[in-house]
Amino acid sequence: AQSVTQLDSQVPVFEEAPVELRCNYSSSVSVYLFWYVQYPNQGLQLLLKYLSGSTLVKGINGFEAEFNKSQTSFHLRKPSVHISDTAEYFCAVSVPDSSYKLIFGSGTRLLVRP
Amino acid sequence: KAGVTQTPRYLIKTRGQQVTLSCSPISGHRSVSWYQQTPGQGLQFLFEYFSETQRNKGNFPGRFSGRQFSNSRSEMNVSTLELGDSALYLCASSDGTVNTEAFFGQGTRLTVV
């Protein structure tokens, strides 16, 4: 079975500061990795995904993430955050089998202060 | 191109009743997945349908069921509602290939009183 751990339930940061949201996963098989963002009263939007290849993945809105197989981590980073980045961020994994099933972490609330 | 449409957006039901939620995927997508989101349990996978067949199912009681129609629209049904079923129910649409993006609807907020 797979599991995802997001250690930080909330991360406060000042505007224009860098941020890192941490994600660790557990799986006995290879997985695909995803980061989604959820704004209030909205569904989830994909920020970026790692399937294979380069371990540094760039996504939308200036976000990037690095896959580290030895540490089973997929941390999300942004060099300079904006107020509009305030949202809930979810890390997720899926197993490349025949069905589409995402296993989510518990989420990290990013709170950007002016 | 139109996104994923979930109806209704909000719903209030009484304990013991049943409810049906609807999801219309993006045109051309044949996979629809359902997730339950609660403050306590987070986002949990309910089931996935592909071309009218259930391909995967999460760990939920039999009161939770779903189906998919030939036009790929999907419905999920919850019978004998319990207070703990209060949640945001999200539907995700994809072409069914796991390495492609799943697009989420805005969800249906179900409140059981």
Side-chain angles (χ1 to χ4, degrees):
Chain A
Q2 292 72 41
S3 66
V4 179
T5 302
Q6 292 181 247
L7 291 169
D8 306 304
S9 60
Q10 183 165 300
V11 173
V13 63
F14 287 107
E15 192 174 20
E16 297 183 9
V19 70
E20 177 179 84
L21 306 184
R22 297 181 293 169
C23 172
N24 289 86
Y25 70 94
S26 173
S27 177
S28 58
V29 300
S30 295
V31 294
Y32 294 148
L33 294 147
F34 305 82
W35 273 100
Y36 281 86
V37 61
Q38 185 177 35
Y39 298 101
N41 298 316
Q42 299 291 321
L44 281 74
Q45 180 183 14
L46 180 68
L47 282 175
L48 47 80
K49 61 185 178 185
Y50 173 78
L51 305 179
S52 63
S54 173
T55 57
L56 184 62
V57 180
K58 293 192 184 296
I60 63 172
N61 301 341
F63 285 94
E64 64 180 33
E66 185 153 22
F67 170 60
N68 188 317
K69 188 174 182 179
S70 62
Q71 297 186 3
T72 60
S73 67
F74 190 54
H75 301 332
L76 181 70
R77 301 186 185 101
K78 187 170 182 178
S80 176
V81 295
H82 302 288
I83 297 288
S84 59
D85 292 323
T86 294
E88 189 93 21
Y89 292 79
F90 293 93
C91 181
V93 302
S94 71
V95 175
D97 60 8
S98 61
S99 71
Y100 204 114
K101 172 184 176 182
L102 290 166
I103 298 164
F104 287 92
S106 55
T108 297
R109 176 156 180 75
L110 176 63
L111 181 58
V112 182
R113 298 167 173 166
Chain B
K1 135 171 143 174
V4 180
T5 303
Q6 291 189 245
T7 56
R9 287 292 312 278
Y10 302 92
L11 207 49
I12 300 176
K13 288 287 188 179
T14 304
R15 196 169 45 181
Q17 287 186 313
Q18 74 165 15
V19 67
T20 299
L21 311 182
S22 178
C23 173
S24 293
I26 290 171
S27 178
H29 283 185
R30 294 192 292 166
S31 168
V32 173
S33 304
W34 288 89
Y35 294 83
Q36 182 196 63
Q37 185 176 23
T38 60
Q41 299 298 316
L43 279 155
Q44 293 186 288
F45 173 79
L46 280 156
F47 28 66
E48 186 227 3
Y49 286 87
F50 181 81
S51 292
E52 302 179 66
T53 300
Q54 187 180 87
R55 285 205 298 194
N56 207 337
K57 188 178 188 305
N59 189 26
F60 277 81
R63 300 185 298 106
F64 292 81
S65 63
R67 60 178 175 169
Q68 187 179 33
F69 302 95
S70 58
N71 62 357
S72 293
R73 188 178 70 87
S74 177
E75 290 181 346
M76 67 162 281
N77 183 276
V78 187
S79 62
T80 319
L81 284 165
E82 301 177 358
L83 296 179
D85 297 332
S86 294
L88 180 66
Y89 290 89
L90 292 165
C91 156
S93 153
S94 78
D95 67 4
T97 311
V98 295
N99 61 351
T100 58
E101 180 175 354
F103 294 84
F104 282 80
Q106 291 186 294
T108 294
R109 171 77 63 185
L110 171 65
T111 302
V112 182
V113 297

